[in-house]
Structure formats: structure tokens, C-alpha cells
Amino acid sequence: MRFRHPDGTTVHLAYCTNVHPAETLDGVLAQLRDHCEPVRRRLGRDRLGIGLWLAKDAAHALVTDPSALRGLRTELDRRGLEVVTLNGFPYEGFGAEEVKYRVYRPDWADPERLDQTTALARVLAGLLPDDVTEGTISTLPLAWRTAYDEGRAEKAHAALLTLAERLDALDELTGRSIRVGLEPEPGCIVETTGDALAPLTAISHRRIGICVDTCHLATSFEDPHTALDALTEARVPIVKSQLSAALHAEQPHLPEVRAALAAFDEPRFLHQTRMSPPLHSARTGATPTAAGPRGTDDLGEALAADALPDEAPWRAHFHVPLHSAPAAPLTSTLPVLQSALTRLVGGPHPLTHHLEVETYTWQALPPGLRPRGRAQLADGIAAELTLARDLLTDLGLKELP
């Protein structure tokens, strides 16, 4: 979906296909047929943007076989779909029964991460619509915080510089400008937008910036305007933004709230949980954990006795559907998304031109909230995109055909 900003530039809105598990190129082609095109039809659009997630094997097939890449581009066109952004965070196995910490491997100190991201950039250059010259890729925020020492930090920094050089060369060769954004996430080396300032200003390259995920932003209790203003002041490029909402519990000390949270404690994904300031709990004497500021690595850990102070609100890294907040006593951080979106594209000029709805946890929701079959999933994704579209038009953007 495309929108015209009041300044005359185009803002792209897509939804991320990491919600549909696929490890191979055949699986990706099936996604387009079984999921993406039905969502487009529900929206009544001739064209729908999708943020492709390409696992290692799928990306390798595309980058080593020009005919396969042309075939994918043809299939996108045939089904009324377009790609201007990729999700390069998960490497493989995102549809596995248990993902948890595996999603952070390999990290940017491992050569596989550089090779994979380079391949994705080459693929994206070949998938961009004819009238689009800029593409974006979101990626791992350096590494998970453990086993990351000075030596690995140096390797990660060197890899990102090499990536920037490769992206420059790709631009010269193809005329397509591809940028990559580190995606801050709780528990990682780059947990917050503030954590991104030092490494990104050290790299100081226009091809390498940040991807602002509004679920992650909210989980860390970052104020959107403060965070985005700091990035702008530091001249860190906001490459793209993923529109997502976290799980919010206002009174986690209440038994009924803890019971409601427990329903979202599931075995597949990691749900980092954070408590809002103050950092120190006068009641329990607890201090920030090794997992990061006032938090735990997973929701189940937070619910264990005295693991996390509960006299202040909690937020959990669980991407809940944008259009449907959890039932009371829980809610979502949709207001944080709205505030961030206002700053991102509501000003005289957009801070980013690529927006991507990323709710990948539909099948990890409590059983009663999960979609039953493809049709209900398509309905839900279409409803999320409709909400995002309405937020954009309310900010003065005009939807394009």
C-alpha cells in the first residue's frame, strides 16, 4: 500500500510475511498464493506491499539462480504484490516449535550473518518495483547480550562496515539503494534506541541505520518522541519502522492480572518482560536483573515468585494484533505505536518511508484467540492493515491506488 505524504514523497505500508512459516523458495511462493493475495483481495486493493522474510535456504536459491529471482518477481506482479522491504532478522527456523534464543544466531560477529544480509540486499535489488529505487532490510541488533565480548564487538563492527561497502557497490551496479537497519530488542546488545547511538554513530554510514519496532520500543518503556528526537539529532537514519504492539499489564501484582499474563506464556517465542521505572523496588528490594533494566528474559520467569517487582506496570514482548487489544485486565501498547507514528510520518517530512505491520505471533496467542484456518488469519491481517491505513490518513497522508 502506498501513501502520498503532504511533502510529496511516497510512504510504503506492508505486512511482514514472517507470520507464515516457510524455509524454502517453494514455501515462499505458496505464501503468496495462500496468504498474501487473499489479504490483498480482502482490502480491495490492486496492489499490496509485503515485507518478505526469506530464510537462509530461500535467499540462497534466489541469489544463486537469476531465473528463480525473475520467477519470484513475476509471481509478485501476477498476484498484485510488491516488495520494498525485507525482514532479515531471523536467519532460519522461525517457524519451528521452539524458537526462543535461536533467533539471535548467527549474530553480527559471525560471517554467516554478513553473507546472509548481503544476499538479501542483492535479492531485494532485483525485487523492487520498476518505479522504486530504494529498499530496506531490518536486521539483528548486533547480538544477544551474552557471549559478546570486545573481540566479537570488533568483528561485528567490521562486518557492518563491509556490508556498507557492499551496498555502495550494489547501488553503483544496479542503481538500487539498499539500506539496513539494526532493530533494537530487549535483551540484546542494542536493547533500546539509545543503545544504538554509539555503534551507529561510530559506523557513520548512510546505508546503516535503525529499524524502530514499536513493540520493542514500548516494552522498554521508551518515550517515542524522546527516542526519535535523539536519533534525529544524532543523524542516525531511521531506515524503516515495524508497527507492532506489546502486551501491557497495569497492575501485575493482582492475581487475576498474573493469571491473564500466564495465558500468554507459551513455549515458542521469547517474551522479554520489563517493569516501568523506578528501577528499585522498595517493597521487595529487587534490583535490575542481568537480563537488562528491570526485566527478565521471558514472561514465565517474570511470573515466578519475586522474580520481577510488581508494584509498577509490566510490558511483555508479545506482538499482539493491532486492531484487537487483549481482554481486561490486560491491554496493548497501541497508544505508543500511535505516538511513534505521529512523529515518524506526521511532521512536515517523514523520518522514514517504509512501514511494516509485524504481528508474527498469531498462532502463539492463547488458544481461544488464535485464528482457525487461513481465512481467519487473512481477515486479521487485513484488519491490522486497515487500522494502520486509517492512522496514516488521519495524519494527512493520502492513500494511492
Side-chain angles (χ1 to χ4, degrees), residues 48-365:
L48 175 66
I50 58 172
L52 273 181
W53 172 61
L54 298 172
K56 175 194 67 172
D57 290 344
H60 179 75
L62 290 166
V63 82
T64 57
D65 184 353
S67 65
L69 183 57
R70 289 193 298 269
L72 175 57
R73 172 67 188 276
T74 298
E75 191 70 1
L76 288 166
D77 292 341
R78 187 169 78 87
R79 298 193 181 279
L81 306 169
E82 67 177 12
V83 175
V84 302
T85 189
L86 300 180
N87 186 330
F89 195 140
Y91 183 73
E92 61 183 344
F94 201 60
E97 291 185 4
E98 181 177 335
V99 178
K100 297 292 185 180
Y101 294 95
R102 291 172 51 191
V103 76
Y104 306 106
R105 300 192 300 266
D107 64 36
W108 271 102
D110 298 317
E112 294 88 351
R113 178 62 64 171
L114 173 60
D115 293 344
Q116 165 77 347
T117 310
T118 301
L120 291 176
R122 291 172 59 190
V123 168
L124 181 55
L127 293 180
L128 289 177
D130 292 339
D131 61 344
V132 175
T133 59
E134 296 186 356
T136 59
I137 303 171
S138 50
T139 190
L140 179 77
L142 297 182
W144 186 252
R145 68 181 187 282
T146 56
Y148 190 77
D149 55 21
E150 185 175 338
R152 293 187 66 78
E154 291 177 357
K155 290 179 180 179
H157 185 269
L160 286 169
L161 286 175
T162 298
L163 175 67
E165 294 170 356
R166 292 178 180 179
L167 296 177
D168 281 342
L170 183 64
D171 192 355
E172 292 181 10
L173 180 66
T174 66
R176 303 298 177 92
S177 175
I178 308 298
R179 296 188 299 162
V180 173
L182 303 183
E183 181 186 332
E185 178 166 315
C188 292
I189 292 298
V190 176
E191 171 154 342
T192 66
T193 56
D195 294 334
L197 295 178
L200 290 178
T201 53
I203 294 168
S204 189
H205 197 288
R206 65 190 179 94
R207 306 270 184 205
I208 311 296
I210 193 169
C211 168
V212 176
D213 184 302
T214 57
C215 171
H216 303 172
L217 189 81
T219 300
S220 295
F221 286 91
E222 290 193 80
D223 174 72
H225 289 268
T226 301
L228 297 173
D229 286 349
L231 293 171
T232 302
E233 184 177 348
R235 297 187 177 182
V236 170
I238 302 174
V239 169
K240 64 184 278 190
S241 179
Q242 289 173 327
L243 306 182
S244 52
L247 193 63
H248 180 92
E250 186 67 21
Q251 296 180 297
H253 65 283
L254 296 177
E256 60 268 28
V257 176
R258 299 178 80 89
L261 284 170
F264 286 84
D265 178 28
E266 54 84 36
R268 185 171 174 187
F269 298 111
L270 205 62
H271 301 296
Q272 302 92 312
T273 304
R274 297 292 183 263
M275 183 192 81
S276 70
L279 298 180
H280 184 79
S281 168
R283 182 167 61 82
T284 66
T287 54
T289 70
R294 51 189 199 284
T296 59
D297 281 358
D298 214 346
L299 179 56
E301 297 173 25
L303 291 169
D306 297 327
L308 189 63
D310 59 8
E311 73 275 11
W314 287 2
R315 288 176 180 170
H317 173 218
F318 196 119
H319 291 223
V320 294
L322 302 186
H323 68 292
S324 179
L330 303 179
T331 187
S332 82
T333 60
L334 181 62
V336 176
L337 183 160
Q338 293 173 295
S339 180
L341 194 61
T342 298
R343 183 69 181 89
L344 285 166
V345 300
H349 303 287
L351 300 183
T352 183
H353 290 87
H354 290 179
L355 305 172
E356 179 183 52
V357 171
E358 197 213 14
T359 305
Y360 59 83
T361 46
W362 283 94
Q363 298 302 336
L365 290 166

Side-chain angles (χ1 to χ4, degrees), residues 361-382:
T361 46
W362 283 94
Q363 298 302 336
L365 290 166
L369 302 179
R370 295 174 193 170
R372 294 186 296 275
R374 294 175 185 169
Q376 283 195 1
L377 177 59
D379 289 342
I381 293 170

